[in-house]
Structures are given as structure tokens and as C-alpha cells.
Amino acid sequence: MIEIRHLRSLAAIADSRKISAAAERVHLTQSALSHQIRAIESHYGVTLFERSRQGVKFTQAGERLLALAKAVIAGVAEAERDIIRLKDDTRGELRIALECHTCFDWLMPVMDEFRRRWPEVEVDLVAGFHPNPIELLASGKADLVIGSRPSRRAGFHVAPLFRYEIVVVMAKEHRLRSSRRIDADDLRGETLITYPVPPQRIDVIREVLEPAGVKLQRRTAELTIAILQLVASRRGVAALPNWGVKSYVDHDYVLAKRIGKGGLMSELYAIANPADAARPYMAEFVEIVRQTCARELDGIALI
Amino acid sequence: MIEIRHLRSLAAIADSRKISAAAERVHLTQSALSHQIRAIESHYGVTLFERSRQGVKFTQAGERLLALAKAVIAGVAEAERDIIRLKDDTRGELRIALECHTCFDWLMPVMDEFRRRWPEVEVDLVAGFHPNPIELLASGKADLVIGSRPSRRAGFHVAPLFRYEIVVVMAKEHRLRSSRRIDADDLRGETLITYPVPPQRIDVIREVLEPAGVKLQRRTAELTIAILQLVASRRGVAALPNWGVKSYVDHDYVLAKRIGKGGLMSELYAIANPADAARPYMAEFVEIVRQTCARELDGIALI
DNA sequence: ACTAATACATGAATCTCGCTCATGATTGAA
DNA sequence: TTCAATCATGAGCGAGATTCATGTATTAGT
């Protein structure tokens, strides 16, 4: 008899196109998923998808079950929200502060979806640039910070979001235009264009340039689009999330290059006070971020 | 994590109003169901229903989960039908013959629902009275007979429907009007009004009168309403299913009396040729009968 | 009031079935 | 060809679901 866990597996497979990747998402081994699928297939006497190296392709029967899965999963989630509402007082506010300003790109759809699910929660963005957004949590000016992992000593509740790659963007005519990858030394003499935050908060400085003893001139801008304008007009280079610059690269406005051998990776977390983290809608906000980003941003990995 | 089996349990509890009765319907012990519910309740931190002597009453949270359960169960059933359709050729015909003519009462809503679910199957009623409807199966004139259990030697596929009580109905002014129960001897000298079928096919004769050596005059009528007219106008008594006469008794047209100490019970089965019984829509027709009757008929027990 | 009956709860024992582990099979790429 | 990636398969284990035995509470009957 089919169960919700099977439907969740199915949805995960549909999302990731690969059984082994889907297995991770539902916290199972590849073997377990394989067994699950086989069980469903033999139960109904149909095949759910054609397996191949580059992912699975759903059959008609698979699509039909997938449609059921999506409906059931959504229905269950909605019912669970309603039950929480019946049980607890779910009014509250969610003031969000961003450490990484590129995140505005994906925050809007996330907030939209969140408002739909928790209309009684007041969502707000904490405006302006802050040298250390985490302090906003401690001072009670924000309820949730999206940024890099704080030291665990600070006592905050930390939920992992995703890992992404930071790339160097440069003008199309830049002298390094034909390099496949960029190392710290390559950048000597360049101007680095960043958001107006302390150098220690900028990954490429902290992780790459400083260890190599390379110190660049800096120039700041508040908006991603402004940074890219400066880059395109050859006022310097910038280091930004790959998903933040993808559309500009695709349109050939600028070039993006990998940093170092394996690329410079960074991770985003949702950080909250432990008291607030227990609120029912908090975990769901994090889930919405993860799902939305996994769907809309290229080249990220949920963590 | 909640699973479909929990939702099925919940729906069964809602239907039967009693945990122990519901347990049987989902093929579990009362204990297992009790544990299941407790697990769900503690998982969500809510109570799903107030337990009391005469059944359970759903709380708001219980109602919400129940709504989910109904939606999910219906969705799963629909998806499974679609998958069967994708897999097999599901066209076919379903010619139904009735052994018990009172069954026309509930057959219409059943057929309606069936047509909705399997529009590509041609449903038909085999008209007229037949001395032995089972023969219609063997001769290929019917695909499904609804009646009492045939001898297992006959090689038919038999699906149980429900158990019900056969009561004696009599005019309000009948000499036995104040008896609480009727025994074979009480009926000596009466006229028994029946459908026009052989005496061996009439339960009250086979099970009660004949064993007691009581032989009554018989008179026949083809329609339940005609039999009741004759009873009401004091032309005799009849023995009919309790649910078949309930509305007439409730309106005080006739009286109904229990037969013997524990009542005369009878059972209905759906009988088909094994080859036909394998067809996907057959099992579902039986399910629809069971569910519809459990919902609409008073005083029956699914078997 | 006492007893019997009915319905649900509870804890321990048991057992099922779903998971992981180890390994094999297949296929595409280098 | 070999390697790497992906999925399949079978055996064995263990968590969790079920049953069994019993307890508790409420109700009906005499």
C-alpha cells in the first residue's frame, strides 16, 4: 500500500532527476529509495520511470503518481499549518536582516510564499546596511538574519540554507578574459568592488586574498546592479555569488571566472534567537527559502 | 511523520464513531489503533477527539485532519484508478443480477457512483426474475450476482458485502402486534407474502419455518412496495430486510418484529466468475457497494 | 448498590517490514 | 580499457508498529 513517504520520495526524484540525489534529500540511502520504487512499481505492475545515466524520465504512470504526490504533500503541509494555528497563537512578526545583499534577488518570491502561508505574521525587512547584522538579533531589532555561520559560542539557533560558489566578475575586455580560473596573484593591482561592509565579511578577501598577502584597492556600491555597472565599465572586478550574476553573464554583459582550483564556496545560514526559532513559522520560512532557492537558483546545493 | 495508513484509520473512526469498530474496518486491533492515535496526537501536540462512552467526538484539530484524510484517500483512489487505466484495457461491461429484490433500494446510488468512476464500463441490470440468478453467471448472461453465498464447490469468486437482519412485517392491527419477537409457531395459519422465487431461496422458510415444521400459505408480489401494501391491508405477513422496511416502519405504516431470540440474520455476497473477478473495476464495484450501504443503510454490518 | 458489559488506555513482548550495508550490473566518458 | 557514476539486488538487522494481556472508566441492568 502506498504511503506518504513514497510520495515524498517520488517528488524528490522528480526534483533532482536522480535517484541517488533524491535519496539524500529524503534522508535515505540510494538503496532504500531503489527498493521503495521497486516496491511501488511491482505493487501497481507498472514502471514509474525510464532510468538512464543522465537522470530518470517519468512514464505516464509515474507522472500520474507524481501529480498525486504533489497534491498530497501540499495538502498535508497545509493541514499541519492549520493544526498548529489551532493549537498555538501564531501571530508574530518576522523582521529579516540580510548579511549578503545579493540575497534580495531571491527574497521576494520567498516572502510572497511565506505571506500566503502565514498571513497573520508580519514580515518586514530591516532596512539599511549594518556592519554586523547578527547584533540586530541580540538587540532585538531583527528576528532572523540570513548570512554566514556565526561562531557557535554566540548561542544562536542556526539553520543551514545552501552552499554556493563565489565567482569573480570582470569586464568582457578585461586582461584576464581568457583565464579559466583566477588566483589571488592574478588580481594584484585590481580594484575590488564590494558592498559597503567590513573586509572581514567579504569572503574573497578573508579566504583568498588575505591568506595570499594580496591587498587590493576597494570601492563600494550598495546595489548588485551598481556593482555590475562598475565592473562592466572597467572600474574593477567583483566577487559575487554565481546565481547573483548568472543572468548578466548569460546576456554577455560581464564575464565570470572560477576562483582557485575548486572554486570559492560559501554557505548561507538562517540565524535566530533560540526563543524565536521555536515559533512554528520560523522553520517553515527556512523551508521556503531552501525550496525556492533550490528551484530557482542554478548551481547551489542544499546543506 | 503522518502516513496514509493513519489517515485511513482516522476516516474509519469518523465513520464508525468508535475506535474499536474502526479498528476492525482497517484490519487492526483496537490496541493498535489506540497507539496510532496517541502517536499522532503527541506528534502534533493536540487531541484529535474527546473519548466518551457512546463514541468519539472530533475536536477542531481532529476535524482538520479528517478533512485531509478524506481528500488524500479520495486522491489516492483516483490516482490508482488512473494508473490501472494506463496499464490495462479497462473497457468492459458489468451486467448485474439481483437475487434479493429489495436490493434495488440501494443499487441506484451505487451504480451512479460506479459510472462516475468507470465511465468506460457499460453497466446494466439483468431484468426480470430468475429462479436461480447464479445460473446467469455460468451461462454468460450476467457478470455479477448479488445474493446469498453459493456453495464454494461451484467455483465462483465470492466477495462478502454485509450482514443484515430479516424482520417480520405485519399490519399495525395484527394479532401479534404486541409481541416483542416472533417464533415459527406464532406464524401458524398466516399467509406469507414473498417475492416470486422458490421457497428454498427464502431465508425465513429455509432457516425458521421449515426446521420448525411450519408450512404457511404463500402469496407473491414482485415489488417491495406491493408486498408492503398487501401486509398493511392484512393479507398476510412478510419477512424482509430491516433496512428495506425501515422507512415504512418509521412512518408507522407497518410493524417490524424480530424473528427468534437473536434475530434472523442473512448475508449478502457479490458473486462473479473468477475470470471477470480479476477485472480492476470489479473489486471497486464491491467496495462502492460496501461503503454506500454502510453509510446509507441502518443496522447492517460489513463482513 | 452491585454486577456485568462495553469501550478505550497502557505496557511489554513480539514480529514485520523498511532500511542499510556490501556488492554487482550497466553505461558513458576519458 | 579503465574509471567513474548511477542504479539494482540480496542479506541481515533493527526500529517501530502491532498484538497480547491487562487495567481503568463509564454505563446499563437487576
PDB file of all heavy atoms in Angstrom, chain B residues 99 166 192-209 218-220 239 264:
ATOM      1  N   GLU B  99     -30.381 -11.302  -6.581  1.00  0.00           N
ATOM      2  CA  GLU B  99     -31.133 -12.417  -6.019  1.00  0.00           C
ATOM      3  C   GLU B  99     -32.170 -11.866  -5.043  1.00  0.00           C
ATOM      4  O   GLU B  99     -33.273 -12.388  -4.911  1.00  0.00           O
ATOM      5  CB  GLU B  99     -30.145 -13.340  -5.282  1.00  0.00           C
ATOM      6  CG  GLU B  99     -30.698 -14.678  -4.919  1.00  0.00           C
ATOM      7  CD  GLU B  99     -29.640 -15.508  -4.194  1.00  0.00           C
ATOM      8  OE1 GLU B  99     -28.587 -15.795  -4.810  1.00  0.00           O
ATOM      9  OE2 GLU B  99     -29.857 -15.827  -3.022  1.00  0.00           O
ATOM     10  N   ILE B 166     -33.251  -9.933   9.018  1.00  0.00           N
ATOM     11  CA  ILE B 166     -34.549 -10.070   8.366  1.00  0.00           C
ATOM     12  C   ILE B 166     -35.627  -9.998   9.444  1.00  0.00           C
ATOM     13  O   ILE B 166     -35.554 -10.704  10.454  1.00  0.00           O
ATOM     14  CB  ILE B 166     -34.645 -11.405   7.608  1.00  0.00           C
ATOM     15  CG1 ILE B 166     -33.618 -11.412   6.461  1.00  0.00           C
ATOM     16  CG2 ILE B 166     -36.055 -11.639   7.082  1.00  0.00           C
ATOM     17  CD1 ILE B 166     -33.531 -12.749   5.751  1.00  0.00           C
ATOM     18  N   LEU B 192     -47.811 -15.955   4.042  1.00  0.00           N
ATOM     19  CA  LEU B 192     -46.508 -15.308   3.894  1.00  0.00           C
ATOM     20  C   LEU B 192     -46.411 -14.704   2.502  1.00  0.00           C
ATOM     21  O   LEU B 192     -46.560 -15.410   1.501  1.00  0.00           O
ATOM     22  CB  LEU B 192     -45.388 -16.336   4.117  1.00  0.00           C
ATOM     23  CG  LEU B 192     -43.971 -15.777   4.113  1.00  0.00           C
ATOM     24  CD1 LEU B 192     -43.740 -14.872   5.315  1.00  0.00           C
ATOM     25  CD2 LEU B 192     -42.940 -16.899   4.081  1.00  0.00           C
ATOM     26  N   ILE B 193     -46.146 -13.431   2.481  1.00  0.00           N
ATOM     27  CA  ILE B 193     -46.054 -12.746   1.181  1.00  0.00           C
ATOM     28  C   ILE B 193     -44.576 -12.596   0.829  1.00  0.00           C
ATOM     29  O   ILE B 193     -43.791 -12.062   1.615  1.00  0.00           O
ATOM     30  CB  ILE B 193     -46.735 -11.373   1.247  1.00  0.00           C
ATOM     31  CG1 ILE B 193     -48.193 -11.584   1.680  1.00  0.00           C
ATOM     32  CG2 ILE B 193     -46.676 -10.678  -0.092  1.00  0.00           C
ATOM     33  CD1 ILE B 193     -48.884 -10.326   2.113  1.00  0.00           C
ATOM     34  N   THR B 194     -44.222 -13.081  -0.341  1.00  0.00           N
ATOM     35  CA  THR B 194     -42.807 -13.106  -0.735  1.00  0.00           C
ATOM     36  C   THR B 194     -42.640 -12.648  -2.174  1.00  0.00           C
ATOM     37  O   THR B 194     -43.618 -12.465  -2.905  1.00  0.00           O
ATOM     38  CB  THR B 194     -42.216 -14.523  -0.645  1.00  0.00           C
ATOM     39  OG1 THR B 194     -42.823 -15.321  -1.684  1.00  0.00           O
ATOM     40  CG2 THR B 194     -42.474 -15.151   0.715  1.00  0.00           C
ATOM     41  N   TYR B 195     -41.368 -12.474  -2.531  1.00  0.00           N
ATOM     42  CA  TYR B 195     -41.060 -12.319  -3.950  1.00  0.00           C
ATOM     43  C   TYR B 195     -41.326 -13.655  -4.624  1.00  0.00           C
ATOM     44  O   TYR B 195     -41.307 -14.710  -3.970  1.00  0.00           O
ATOM     45  CB  TYR B 195     -39.581 -11.935  -4.141  1.00  0.00           C
ATOM     46  CG  TYR B 195     -39.225 -10.601  -3.554  1.00  0.00           C
ATOM     47  CD1 TYR B 195     -38.425 -10.526  -2.416  1.00  0.00           C
ATOM     48  CD2 TYR B 195     -39.663  -9.411  -4.134  1.00  0.00           C
ATOM     49  CE1 TYR B 195     -38.076  -9.303  -1.866  1.00  0.00           C
ATOM     50  CE2 TYR B 195     -39.327  -8.194  -3.589  1.00  0.00           C
ATOM     51  CZ  TYR B 195     -38.533  -8.135  -2.463  1.00  0.00           C
ATOM     52  OH  TYR B 195     -38.202  -6.937  -1.926  1.00  0.00           O
ATOM     53  N   PRO B 196     -41.534 -13.677  -5.927  1.00  0.00           N
ATOM     54  CA  PRO B 196     -41.831 -14.936  -6.631  1.00  0.00           C
ATOM     55  C   PRO B 196     -40.571 -15.753  -6.887  1.00  0.00           C
ATOM     56  O   PRO B 196     -40.110 -15.842  -8.023  1.00  0.00           O
ATOM     57  CB  PRO B 196     -42.472 -14.457  -7.938  1.00  0.00           C
ATOM     58  CG  PRO B 196     -41.928 -13.092  -8.165  1.00  0.00           C
ATOM     59  CD  PRO B 196     -41.636 -12.509  -6.820  1.00  0.00           C
ATOM     60  N   VAL B 197     -40.015 -16.300  -5.852  1.00  0.00           N
ATOM     61  CA  VAL B 197     -38.826 -17.148  -6.004  1.00  0.00           C
ATOM     62  C   VAL B 197     -39.085 -18.461  -5.273  1.00  0.00           C
ATOM     63  O   VAL B 197     -39.973 -18.532  -4.427  1.00  0.00           O
ATOM     64  CB  VAL B 197     -37.567 -16.465  -5.437  1.00  0.00           C
ATOM     65  CG1 VAL B 197     -37.238 -15.214  -6.231  1.00  0.00           C
ATOM     66  CG2 VAL B 197     -37.740 -16.129  -3.972  1.00  0.00           C
ATOM     67  N   PRO B 198     -38.316 -19.518  -5.589  1.00  0.00           N
ATOM     68  CA  PRO B 198     -38.544 -20.819  -4.946  1.00  0.00           C
ATOM     69  C   PRO B 198     -38.395 -20.709  -3.421  1.00  0.00           C
ATOM     70  O   PRO B 198     -37.583 -19.915  -2.938  1.00  0.00           O
ATOM     71  CB  PRO B 198     -37.418 -21.692  -5.514  1.00  0.00           C
ATOM     72  CG  PRO B 198     -36.946 -20.999  -6.738  1.00  0.00           C
ATOM     73  CD  PRO B 198     -37.208 -19.558  -6.546  1.00  0.00           C
ATOM     74  N   PRO B 199     -39.159 -21.501  -2.686  1.00  0.00           N
ATOM     75  CA  PRO B 199     -39.148 -21.414  -1.215  1.00  0.00           C
ATOM     76  C   PRO B 199     -37.752 -21.592  -0.630  1.00  0.00           C
ATOM     77  O   PRO B 199     -37.416 -20.965   0.376  1.00  0.00           O
ATOM     78  CB  PRO B 199     -40.081 -22.546  -0.781  1.00  0.00           C
ATOM     79  CG  PRO B 199     -40.379 -23.340  -1.988  1.00  0.00           C
ATOM     80  CD  PRO B 199     -40.140 -22.484  -3.177  1.00  0.00           C
ATOM     81  N   GLN B 200     -36.927 -22.413  -1.271  1.00  0.00           N
ATOM     82  CA  GLN B 200     -35.584 -22.614  -0.733  1.00  0.00           C
ATOM     83  C   GLN B 200     -34.747 -21.349  -0.750  1.00  0.00           C
ATOM     84  O   GLN B 200     -33.750 -21.235  -0.054  1.00  0.00           O
ATOM     85  CB  GLN B 200     -34.848 -23.710  -1.530  1.00  0.00           C
ATOM     86  CG  GLN B 200     -35.153 -25.101  -1.044  1.00  0.00           C
ATOM     87  CD  GLN B 200     -34.992 -25.212   0.471  1.00  0.00           C
ATOM     88  OE1 GLN B 200     -33.964 -24.895   1.036  1.00  0.00           O
ATOM     89  NE2 GLN B 200     -36.064 -25.651   1.155  1.00  0.00           N
ATOM     90  N   ARG B 201     -35.149 -20.394  -1.546  1.00  0.00           N
ATOM     91  CA  ARG B 201     -34.379 -19.155  -1.632  1.00  0.00           C
ATOM     92  C   ARG B 201     -34.880 -18.114  -0.632  1.00  0.00           C
ATOM     93  O   ARG B 201     -34.326 -17.016  -0.552  1.00  0.00           O
ATOM     94  CB  ARG B 201     -34.470 -18.583  -3.058  1.00  0.00           C
ATOM     95  CG  ARG B 201     -33.722 -19.385  -4.115  1.00  0.00           C
ATOM     96  CD  ARG B 201     -32.458 -18.644  -4.574  1.00  0.00           C
ATOM     97  NE  ARG B 201     -32.697 -17.229  -4.729  1.00  0.00           N
ATOM     98  CZ  ARG B 201     -33.257 -16.676  -5.805  1.00  0.00           C
ATOM     99  NH1 ARG B 201     -33.628 -17.404  -6.829  1.00  0.00           N
ATOM    100  NH2 ARG B 201     -33.446 -15.385  -5.851  1.00  0.00           N
ATOM    101  N   ILE B 202     -35.908 -18.474   0.120  1.00  0.00           N
ATOM    102  CA  ILE B 202     -36.444 -17.515   1.097  1.00  0.00           C
ATOM    103  C   ILE B 202     -35.950 -17.902   2.481  1.00  0.00           C
ATOM    104  O   ILE B 202     -36.294 -18.965   3.010  1.00  0.00           O
ATOM    105  CB  ILE B 202     -37.981 -17.502   1.028  1.00  0.00           C
ATOM    106  CG1 ILE B 202     -38.398 -17.034  -0.378  1.00  0.00           C
ATOM    107  CG2 ILE B 202     -38.561 -16.607   2.107  1.00  0.00           C
ATOM    108  CD1 ILE B 202     -39.866 -17.144  -0.647  1.00  0.00           C
ATOM    109  N   ASP B 203     -35.131 -17.044   3.063  1.00  0.00           N
ATOM    110  CA  ASP B 203     -34.432 -17.383   4.308  1.00  0.00           C
ATOM    111  C   ASP B 203     -35.368 -17.801   5.417  1.00  0.00           C
ATOM    112  O   ASP B 203     -35.106 -18.769   6.128  1.00  0.00           O
ATOM    113  CB  ASP B 203     -33.604 -16.183   4.784  1.00  0.00           C
ATOM    114  CG  ASP B 203     -32.503 -15.838   3.820  1.00  0.00           C
ATOM    115  OD1 ASP B 203     -32.776 -15.088   2.854  1.00  0.00           O
ATOM    116  OD2 ASP B 203     -31.372 -16.320   4.002  1.00  0.00           O
ATOM    117  N   VAL B 204     -36.460 -17.051   5.588  1.00  0.00           N
ATOM    118  CA  VAL B 204     -37.315 -17.333   6.745  1.00  0.00           C
ATOM    119  C   VAL B 204     -37.949 -18.717   6.626  1.00  0.00           C
ATOM    120  O   VAL B 204     -38.177 -19.401   7.631  1.00  0.00           O
ATOM    121  CB  VAL B 204     -38.378 -16.225   6.929  1.00  0.00           C
ATOM    122  CG1 VAL B 204     -39.438 -16.312   5.830  1.00  0.00           C
ATOM    123  CG2 VAL B 204     -39.002 -16.302   8.306  1.00  0.00           C
ATOM    124  N   ILE B 205     -38.204 -19.154   5.420  1.00  0.00           N
ATOM    125  CA  ILE B 205     -38.731 -20.512   5.228  1.00  0.00           C
ATOM    126  C   ILE B 205     -37.639 -21.534   5.489  1.00  0.00           C
ATOM    127  O   ILE B 205     -37.797 -22.479   6.260  1.00  0.00           O
ATOM    128  CB  ILE B 205     -39.281 -20.686   3.792  1.00  0.00           C
ATOM    129  CG1 ILE B 205     -40.500 -19.779   3.585  1.00  0.00           C
ATOM    130  CG2 ILE B 205     -39.634 -22.147   3.508  1.00  0.00           C
ATOM    131  CD1 ILE B 205     -41.059 -19.810   2.177  1.00  0.00           C
ATOM    132  N   ARG B 206     -36.490 -21.310   4.865  1.00  0.00           N
ATOM    133  CA  ARG B 206     -35.414 -22.284   4.950  1.00  0.00           C
ATOM    134  C   ARG B 206     -34.843 -22.386   6.368  1.00  0.00           C
ATOM    135  O   ARG B 206     -34.575 -23.476   6.862  1.00  0.00           O
ATOM    136  CB  ARG B 206     -34.305 -21.902   3.961  1.00  0.00           C
ATOM    137  CG  ARG B 206     -33.258 -22.983   3.742  1.00  0.00           C
ATOM    138  CD  ARG B 206     -32.179 -22.501   2.781  1.00  0.00           C
ATOM    139  NE  ARG B 206     -31.464 -21.352   3.309  1.00  0.00           N
ATOM    140  CZ  ARG B 206     -31.538 -20.122   2.798  1.00  0.00           C
ATOM    141  NH1 ARG B 206     -32.287 -19.875   1.733  1.00  0.00           N
ATOM    142  NH2 ARG B 206     -30.864 -19.138   3.348  1.00  0.00           N
ATOM    143  N   GLU B 207     -34.697 -21.265   7.015  1.00  0.00           N
ATOM    144  CA  GLU B 207     -33.984 -21.246   8.294  1.00  0.00           C
ATOM    145  C   GLU B 207     -34.896 -21.357   9.515  1.00  0.00           C
ATOM    146  O   GLU B 207     -34.449 -21.764  10.583  1.00  0.00           O
ATOM    147  CB  GLU B 207     -33.171 -19.943   8.416  1.00  0.00           C
ATOM    148  CG  GLU B 207     -32.213 -19.677   7.279  1.00  0.00           C
ATOM    149  CD  GLU B 207     -31.016 -20.621   7.290  1.00  0.00           C
ATOM    150  OE1 GLU B 207     -30.714 -21.187   8.350  1.00  0.00           O
ATOM    151  OE2 GLU B 207     -30.400 -20.812   6.212  1.00  0.00           O
ATOM    152  N   VAL B 208     -36.151 -20.931   9.360  1.00  0.00           N
ATOM    153  CA  VAL B 208     -37.006 -20.837  10.550  1.00  0.00           C
ATOM    154  C   VAL B 208     -38.229 -21.742  10.446  1.00  0.00           C
ATOM    155  O   VAL B 208     -38.458 -22.611  11.293  1.00  0.00           O
ATOM    156  CB  VAL B 208     -37.457 -19.375  10.787  1.00  0.00           C
ATOM    157  CG1 VAL B 208     -38.386 -19.285  11.992  1.00  0.00           C
ATOM    158  CG2 VAL B 208     -36.242 -18.475  10.972  1.00  0.00           C
ATOM    159  N   LEU B 209     -39.016 -21.552   9.401  1.00  0.00           N
ATOM    160  CA  LEU B 209     -40.302 -22.239   9.337  1.00  0.00           C
ATOM    161  C   LEU B 209     -40.134 -23.733   9.071  1.00  0.00           C
ATOM    162  O   LEU B 209     -40.735 -24.564   9.768  1.00  0.00           O
ATOM    163  CB  LEU B 209     -41.173 -21.611   8.248  1.00  0.00           C
ATOM    164  CG  LEU B 209     -41.487 -20.125   8.495  1.00  0.00           C
ATOM    165  CD1 LEU B 209     -42.234 -19.512   7.311  1.00  0.00           C
ATOM    166  CD2 LEU B 209     -42.323 -19.970   9.768  1.00  0.00           C
ATOM    167  N   ARG B 218     -48.583 -19.205   0.777  1.00  0.00           N
ATOM    168  CA  ARG B 218     -47.753 -18.143   0.226  1.00  0.00           C
ATOM    169  C   ARG B 218     -48.511 -17.346  -0.811  1.00  0.00           C
ATOM    170  O   ARG B 218     -49.422 -17.851  -1.466  1.00  0.00           O
ATOM    171  CB  ARG B 218     -46.495 -18.732  -0.431  1.00  0.00           C
ATOM    172  CG  ARG B 218     -45.356 -18.938   0.552  1.00  0.00           C
ATOM    173  CD  ARG B 218     -44.184 -19.551  -0.162  1.00  0.00           C
ATOM    174  NE  ARG B 218     -43.560 -18.608  -1.085  1.00  0.00           N
ATOM    175  CZ  ARG B 218     -42.856 -18.947  -2.152  1.00  0.00           C
ATOM    176  NH1 ARG B 218     -42.684 -20.225  -2.436  1.00  0.00           N
ATOM    177  NH2 ARG B 218     -42.321 -18.036  -2.935  1.00  0.00           N
ATOM    178  N   ARG B 219     -48.116 -16.125  -0.908  1.00  0.00           N
ATOM    179  CA  ARG B 219     -48.637 -15.268  -1.954  1.00  0.00           C
ATOM    180  C   ARG B 219     -47.445 -14.431  -2.408  1.00  0.00           C
ATOM    181  O   ARG B 219     -46.584 -14.095  -1.607  1.00  0.00           O
ATOM    182  CB  ARG B 219     -49.734 -14.393  -1.359  1.00  0.00           C
ATOM    183  CG  ARG B 219     -50.348 -13.469  -2.350  1.00  0.00           C
ATOM    184  CD  ARG B 219     -51.629 -12.870  -1.851  1.00  0.00           C
ATOM    185  NE  ARG B 219     -52.103 -11.909  -2.824  1.00  0.00           N
ATOM    186  CZ  ARG B 219     -53.213 -11.206  -2.698  1.00  0.00           C
ATOM    187  NH1 ARG B 219     -53.960 -11.356  -1.620  1.00  0.00           N
ATOM    188  NH2 ARG B 219     -53.580 -10.358  -3.640  1.00  0.00           N
ATOM    189  N   THR B 220     -47.346 -14.122  -3.668  1.00  0.00           N
ATOM    190  CA  THR B 220     -46.147 -13.435  -4.149  1.00  0.00           C
ATOM    191  C   THR B 220     -46.474 -12.070  -4.748  1.00  0.00           C
ATOM    192  O   THR B 220     -47.597 -11.828  -5.211  1.00  0.00           O
ATOM    193  CB  THR B 220     -45.413 -14.257  -5.226  1.00  0.00           C
ATOM    194  OG1 THR B 220     -46.270 -14.419  -6.346  1.00  0.00           O
ATOM    195  CG2 THR B 220     -44.989 -15.614  -4.679  1.00  0.00           C
ATOM    196  N   ALA B 239     -41.416 -11.320   5.390  1.00  0.00           N
ATOM    197  CA  ALA B 239     -40.108 -11.276   6.051  1.00  0.00           C
ATOM    198  C   ALA B 239     -39.156 -10.558   5.110  1.00  0.00           C
ATOM    199  O   ALA B 239     -38.869 -11.059   4.013  1.00  0.00           O
ATOM    200  CB  ALA B 239     -39.604 -12.686   6.347  1.00  0.00           C
ATOM    201  N   LEU B 264     -33.159 -13.110  12.922  1.00  0.00           N
ATOM    202  CA  LEU B 264     -32.741 -13.909  11.764  1.00  0.00           C
ATOM    203  C   LEU B 264     -31.791 -13.075  10.920  1.00  0.00           C
ATOM    204  O   LEU B 264     -32.182 -12.054  10.361  1.00  0.00           O
ATOM    205  CB  LEU B 264     -33.972 -14.320  10.942  1.00  0.00           C
ATOM    206  CG  LEU B 264     -33.674 -14.999   9.603  1.00  0.00           C
ATOM    207  CD1 LEU B 264     -32.898 -16.302   9.808  1.00  0.00           C
ATOM    208  CD2 LEU B 264     -34.966 -15.262   8.838  1.00  0.00           C
TER     209      LEU B 264
END
